[in-house]
Amino acid sequence: MYHYPDQAYFGKPIRKATIYRYSGVTHKTKQLITSQIEQIEWSYKLAPETINLPANSEIKEIQIITLWLKGRELHPSILTLLDHSIRFPIWFEVISNDRFRFVAAIKRQSEADFTQQVLSEHFHSDWIVESQLRRQHLPTAINLEDLWTQMLAPLLPLKCRSNESTWDWSKRCEKWKSFIREAEKLEKKLRKEKQFNRKVGLNQKLRAVRSQISQCQK
């Protein structure tokens, strides 16, 4: 998706043994990393000194991590572990044979414990066949936070509102997806329901959920 400046290249392999020593890793996650991940590389570092964009209080650096998979499976807990182990925003480039996928989550400092971070869900692109992959230069931005917002835009299902933080944006997208799932369940029940009075109740719930979906999209 993006072509990174040469000066931002980091190219540091991340050994699995290093990840296994991280205090938050469980035995199950270790097994998943062993079975699903072939190689991990800290590929690029987007920072003021590497791409000449100023940092701010929200975004100091953006890290590009490349994951080579052994097959086609990538358990979400692996991404969560890596995101928690590196405090900066991470843009994951996931490679499975000749297919690429881009994944990212939004993180912020925990209000309960300032030493910890909380994550949104991980948003991802569709799989792209290597022959169809077209890399472009990084978006024009005024600072790293603006760059991060623009990088995220193709991954999130809704557009970012004016003056909306990336965290609030991600939470709105998560709610929208939840309402979509709820509407699909209600529609399925409605199609199967035979009793008129129950249909009326289901229709009322469905209208309410669709209203919530509409509010999220505005």
Side-chain angles (χ1 to χ4, degrees):
M1 187 176 288
Y2 295 115
H3 173 73
Y4 307 103
D6 292 342
Q7 61 268 28
Y9 182 67
F10 196 51
K12 181 180 179 181
I14 301 177
R15 296 176 65 244
K16 294 179 184 179
T18 302
I19 300 172
Y20 296 158
R21 290 197 294 268
Y22 180 64
S23 60
V25 66
T26 64
H27 178 67
K28 180 181 178 181
T29 303
K30 285 183 182 179
Q31 290 181 318
L32 288 168
I33 292 171
T34 301
S35 63
Q36 295 183 0
I37 301 295
E38 182 69 45
Q39 183 182 346
I40 307 173
E41 181 186 78
W42 199 326
S43 300
Y44 292 88
K45 181 172 74 170
L46 309 183
E49 65 272 19
T50 63
I51 61 170
N52 199 31
L53 276 181
N56 61 15
S57 59
E58 296 297 321
I59 306 290
K60 306 294 185 184
E61 295 180 2
I62 300 168
Q63 311 304 334
I64 312 300
I65 304 290
T66 306
L67 304 175
W68 285 268
L69 305 186
K70 290 183 177 179
R72 297 198 175 190
E73 297 292 327
L74 178 59
H75 197 277
S77 64
I78 298 175
L79 296 172
T80 298
L81 175 67
L82 291 170
D83 252 315
H84 278 303
S85 65
I86 299 173
R87 296 192 63 81
F88 300 112
I90 301 176
W91 179 269
F92 293 100
E93 298 204 340
V94 183
I95 304 173
S96 173
N97 295 322
D98 64 341
R99 302 186 312 156
F100 288 73
R101 167 176 268 186
F102 306 96
V103 186
I106 293 87
K107 59 180 75 173
R108 67 167 175 79
Q109 193 176 53
S110 169
E111 296 176 353
D113 183 352
F114 289 155
T115 66
Q116 301 297 319
Q117 289 187 315
V118 291
L119 291 179
S120 71
E121 68 174 67
H122 282 90
F123 299 92
H124 56 77
S125 70
D126 294 330
W127 284 105
I128 306 169
V129 178
E130 185 175 10
S131 61
Q132 298 176 344
L133 184 66
R134 300 291 181 268
R135 290 189 179 270
Q136 57 189 350
H137 291 293
L138 290 169
T140 301
I142 59 174
N143 55 38
L144 288 173
E145 182 181 6
D146 183 31
L147 175 63
W148 183 233
T149 300
Q150 294 191 63
M151 289 177 69
L152 291 169
L155 303 187
L156 274 67
L158 302 175
K159 290 183 179 180
C160 187
R161 292 168 175 165
S162 177
N163 298 320
E164 184 177 39
S165 70
T166 53
W167 180 257
D168 289 341
W169 180 24
S170 70
K171 293 293 105 179
R172 181 165 56 90
C173 289
E174 289 177 12
K175 283 197 287 187
W176 177 81
K177 291 169 73 173
S178 176
F179 289 137
I180 291 288
R181 289 192 295 269
E182 187 177 350
E184 288 173 349
K185 290 178 182 178
L186 287 169
E187 288 167 355
K188 186 176 180 180
K189 287 182 179 179
L190 193 57
R191 286 193 296 269
K192 293 181 177 181
E193 185 56 60
K194 303 299 182 183
Q195 294 189 25
F196 176 77
N197 61 330
R198 290 182 180 177
K199 279 191 172 186
V200 171
L202 288 170
N203 266 313
Q204 288 176 340
K205 290 180 181 179
L206 184 56
R207 282 195 296 271
V209 172
R210 285 174 175 168
S211 175
Q212 295 283 3
I213 292 171
S214 178
Q215 288 299 316
C216 288
Q217 292 172 332
K218 292 180 179 178

